[in-house]
Amino acid sequence: LTGTPETGPLRTGFPLADYSTPLLASVGILGALFARQADGDGQAIDLSMFDATLFAAIPREGYCFALGRTPARLGNEHPQIAPYNVYPTRDGRPVLVVAHVEKFWRSLCRALGAEALAEDPRFRTNADRLANREALNQRLAALFRERSLAEWSERLAEAGVLFAPVCDLAEVLDDPRVRAGGMVVELDHPAAGRIKVLGNPLKFSRTPAQL
């Protein structure tokens, strides 16, 4: 599913099966413990990495069941929403923009200073925009190249647009909000000395997790 028509299939950027399987297993164990409290009986749980990874394909499997074919590889785009894409700004930094309902489409046009786009018959509804996706992407790409990511971030936020700067992993790990949220933790390692690791995303009010 991942990739574009030009690249062909690409693997995901992280080992999905290695995480989805133990997460689902944890849910299963908690469910079995809850059932044991009710009737006193334990039970075996069987979970394969393949089944867990296939389950993570939701809702893409519905496309196959309904139409009998695999969804097209669209890169950063969405099969049912336009615009839903990444556009490079003047300084070469990409920004993700999503307009899944008309309110956000009109907010985007307003932020871009291109209100006429909202009235263009090619782009008036989501169905119109999907039918004219290539023309829409070309127009939006040209507009986003007019300003830097910082400038667009300010304008898009003020207009209430659904957007996000696309950051690399190093930028994410160095983000002050990530640090303030406790997701980067420093520990003393017996051999490596002072190291950084990811914190626990679960924040318990009474029994906080310890690393």
Side-chain angles (χ1 to χ4, degrees):
L1 295 175
T2 305
T4 69
E6 292 74 30
T7 66
L10 296 173
R11 67 181 182 88
T12 58
F14 60 95
L16 177 64
D18 291 346
Y19 301 130
S20 61
T21 309
L23 286 171
L24 285 171
S26 299
V27 175
I29 291 167
L30 293 172
L33 286 171
F34 190 78
R36 189 184 69 179
Q37 280 190 305
D39 58 22
D41 291 332
Q43 59 187 303
I45 303 171
D46 181 35
L47 175 67
S48 76
M49 293 183 77
F50 178 84
D51 290 351
T53 307
L54 180 59
F55 185 76
I58 291 174
R60 299 295 174 255
E61 88 297 343
Y63 185 99
C64 286
F65 289 146
L67 301 179
R69 62 179 185 270
T70 299
R73 287 184 290 270
L74 297 173
N76 291 309
E77 297 196 67
H78 194 284
Q80 298 166 307
I81 301 169
Y84 189 124
N85 206 353
V86 171
Y87 302 97
T89 57
R90 187 176 63 196
D91 49 352
R93 299 295 309 277
V95 60
L96 170 69
V97 175
V98 176
H100 65 296
V101 294
E102 296 310 302
K103 175 180 75 171
F104 292 114
W105 166 239
R106 293 185 175 276
S107 296
L108 174 61
C109 293
R110 186 167 62 251
L112 293 170
E115 288 87 345
L117 275 181
E119 305 306 325
D120 189 317
R122 297 174 300 168
F123 311 135
R124 191 165 290 151
T125 68
N126 184 64
D128 295 329
R129 295 189 291 274
L130 284 172
N132 296 282
R133 190 198 296 266
E134 186 174 348
L136 175 66
N137 280 329
Q138 289 176 355
R139 185 73 182 105
L140 293 179
L143 288 166
F144 275 106
R145 284 194 296 267
E146 294 178 357
R147 299 176 187 270
S148 68
L149 177 61
E151 292 174 295
W152 280 126
S153 294
E154 184 175 348
R155 290 175 65 96
L156 295 172
E158 287 178 356
V161 177
L162 291 182
F163 80 100
V166 180
C167 301
D168 63 31
L169 185 56
E171 289 176 311
V172 173
L173 294 174
D174 199 43
D175 190 293
R177 293 165 296 184
V178 173
R179 299 298 182 95
M183 281 307 296
V184 175
V185 180
E186 292 194 8
L187 299 175
D188 289 314
H189 189 278
R194 197 72 172 165
I195 63 170
K196 295 177 182 177
V197 298
L198 282 180
N200 193 321
L202 293 168
K203 314 301 182 188
F204 293 90
S205 64
R206 189 172 60 82
T207 57
Q210 299 286 323
L211 291 180

